[in-house]
Amino acid sequence: MKKVISLFALIGLFAFGMNSVSFAEEVDSTTMATEAAMEDTNMAAAPAVVEEPVKAVEEAPAKKTVGVIQQVKQYFIDGGPAFMSLVFLVFLLGLALSIERIIYLNMSTTNNHKLLAEIDEAMQSGGVDAAKEVCRNTRGPVASIFYQGLDRADEGVEAVEKSVINYGSVQAGLLEKNLSWISLFIATAPMLGFLGTVIGIIQVFDIIEVTGQTEPVQIAGAMKVALNTTLAGLVAAIVLQIFYNYIVSKIDGIVNDMEDASISLVDMVIKNNK
């Protein structure tokens, strides 16, 4: 009887052990399957996380580069067509007069040493009339002054000097023609810009008074529009001032050459009258 009980006890222990082992194996297999599934899920989800920034980068809109002309147009529109048109008109008028003066002064520049040599040679070969013909065929204020001086050569050296001085003043006035208008446009351009800015600031305060809104974004935008006229006026004045200074320096150089050449002409007349 004891042997039978012991046999059943051993069979029970053996069966319990086998169940424990199988349960442990099932638990291990279930855990491994769960971990594998989680790894698969992570691996499947990982590319989506990586692909999103790439897709966002690919779909990001490219920045548009604005050209200088487009930016100038935008400033013109923001500043208000009324005052910006006035500033632009003043700038165009001043620029046109400046270009006209530069062309005139460049055409008035001559080689005075070469002209004096030709006049001296003509006076020695054909007299005063031949020298006057050389001056008549040469462009520029210096040749005109020489012609007026040689035209009084038969009246004496003093008459030649007086004629050269008087007609030299006339030619200097022709060289300085329209300079007063250019200087007026230089002063007017920034004044119009400041006037537009003042009117724009007044309009900003009117908007604040009516609406009662004092948000910095709105005020900054309105002030930016108001200051565009001042920017345009200052740019126009700076450009015209550069042209003006070049024209003045060019006139000074031509006048100095005229005075130097006139002295040489008087000496030449004195030499040929001996």
Side-chain angles (χ1 to χ4, degrees):
M1 185 69 182
K2 292 182 179 178
K3 291 182 178 181
V4 174
I5 293 172
S6 300
L7 181 60
F8 279 110
L10 289 173
I11 293 172
L13 290 174
F14 180 76
F16 178 77
M18 292 297 293
N19 291 330
S20 298
V21 173
S22 62
F23 177 76
E25 288 178 355
E26 290 178 357
V27 171
D28 291 338
S29 61
T30 304
T31 304
M32 292 176 64
T34 303
E35 291 177 354
M38 291 178 65
E39 288 178 359
D40 293 335
T41 303
N42 293 331
M43 290 178 64
V49 175
V50 175
E51 287 177 356
E52 289 181 358
V54 175
K55 185 176 180 182
V57 171
E58 291 177 355
E59 294 179 355
K63 294 182 178 180
K64 295 182 180 179
T65 56
V66 180
V68 177
I69 298 177
Q70 296 295 331
Q71 193 170 5
V72 171
K73 289 181 179 179
Q74 188 62 40
Y75 283 147
F76 185 86
I77 295 172
D78 291 341
F83 280 95
M84 294 295 283
S85 298
L86 291 175
V87 174
F88 188 67
L89 178 61
V90 168
F91 174 71
L92 284 182
L93 292 175
L95 186 63
L97 292 177
S98 299
I99 293 174
E100 184 271 334
R101 282 292 89 191
I102 291 173
I103 294 173
Y104 179 82
L105 294 175
N106 288 329
M107 294 179 64
S108 300
T109 304
T110 56
N111 190 345
N112 295 331
H113 296 288
K114 181 180 178 181
L115 179 60
L116 286 170
E118 291 177 355
I119 291 174
D120 190 13
E121 183 179 356
M123 289 182 68
Q124 292 178 4
S125 61
V128 176
D129 293 334
K132 290 169 64 176
E133 186 65 23
V134 172
C135 295
R136 190 181 293 110
N137 295 328
T138 305
R139 60 178 175 83
V142 177
S144 299
I145 294 171
F146 285 0
Y147 182 85
Q148 295 296 325
L150 292 172
D151 196 33
R152 304 290 191 278
D154 56 347
E155 299 178 8
V157 178
E158 293 182 357
V160 173
E161 290 180 352
K162 186 179 293 185
S163 178
V164 167
I165 293 172
N166 293 334
Y167 202 71
S169 300
V170 174
Q171 289 297 322
L174 293 176
L175 293 175
E176 295 175 356
K177 183 180 179 182
N178 293 329
L179 279 183
S180 59
W181 287 104
I182 297 175
S183 61
L184 175 64
F185 293 144
I186 292 173
T188 304
M191 291 172 64
L192 288 174
F194 289 137
L195 180 61
T197 299
V198 171
I199 293 176
I201 293 174
I202 292 174
Q203 292 176 352
V204 170
F205 284 111
D206 289 339
I207 294 172
I208 294 174
E209 183 179 5
V210 172
T211 61
Q213 296 179 357
T214 58
E215 295 182 1
V217 176
Q218 295 180 352
I219 297 175
M223 290 296 296
K224 178 183 176 181
V225 172
L227 292 174
N228 281 335
T229 55
T230 301
L231 176 63
L234 292 175
V235 171
I238 290 171
V239 175
L240 294 179
Q241 185 67 50
I242 293 173
F243 280 104
Y244 180 82
N245 290 344
Y246 173 77
I247 292 169
V248 170
S249 63
K250 190 75 174 177
I251 292 173
D252 291 340
I254 294 175
V255 170
N256 291 332
D257 292 339
M258 287 166 50
E259 294 175 353
D260 188 20
S262 299
I263 295 172
S264 300
L265 177 67
V266 173
D267 294 337
M268 191 180 299
V269 172
I270 294 172
K271 182 181 69 174
N272 286 277
N273 286 338
K274 289 181 179 180

